[in-house]
Amino acid sequence: MSKKGYSPDNAACEGCFGRLKNEMYYGRRWTSADELETTINAYIKFYNTTRIKVSLGGYSINQYRALNQLEPKLS
């Protein structure tokens, strides 16, 4: 997330965290930190490779990037 007061970056991050909690976290009990970490990593992989986004024309994030040859920003 970005510095205080720069809401466009924070909104995207908060939205992603909110979806992660709603779709993966709530309603489950975790027996260890390792189990939670493994599940979060699996969800992030699912989110980027499988979960479709209507705003991207029904493609997953990785499919959309591949079709449009977009490189992820590493800033």
Side-chain angles (χ1 to χ4, degrees):
M1 293 201 257
S2 68
K3 63 185 175 182
K4 183 177 178 179
Y6 192 69
S7 60
D9 283 349
N10 287 339
C13 291
E14 292 295 331
C16 183
F17 291 139
R19 280 186 294 281
L20 179 140
K21 288 189 283 186
N22 283 330
E23 295 178 2
M24 190 264 334
Y25 182 77
Y26 291 131
R28 292 191 60 184
R29 296 219 182 256
W30 307 100
T31 58
S32 68
D34 289 336
E35 179 187 5
L36 178 59
E37 182 179 355
T38 300
T39 305
I40 289 172
N41 289 334
Y43 180 82
I44 291 170
K45 183 177 179 181
F46 159 77
Y47 187 87
N48 287 321
T49 61
T50 307
R51 185 179 187 275
I52 63 167
K53 293 185 56 74
V54 174
S55 64
L56 298 180
Y59 294 107
S60 72
I61 293 170
N62 285 356
Q63 290 170 330
Y64 183 80
R65 284 182 179 156
L67 288 172
N68 294 291
Q69 298 180 4
L70 299 175
E71 294 295 323
K73 293 180 181 177
L74 301 174
S75 55

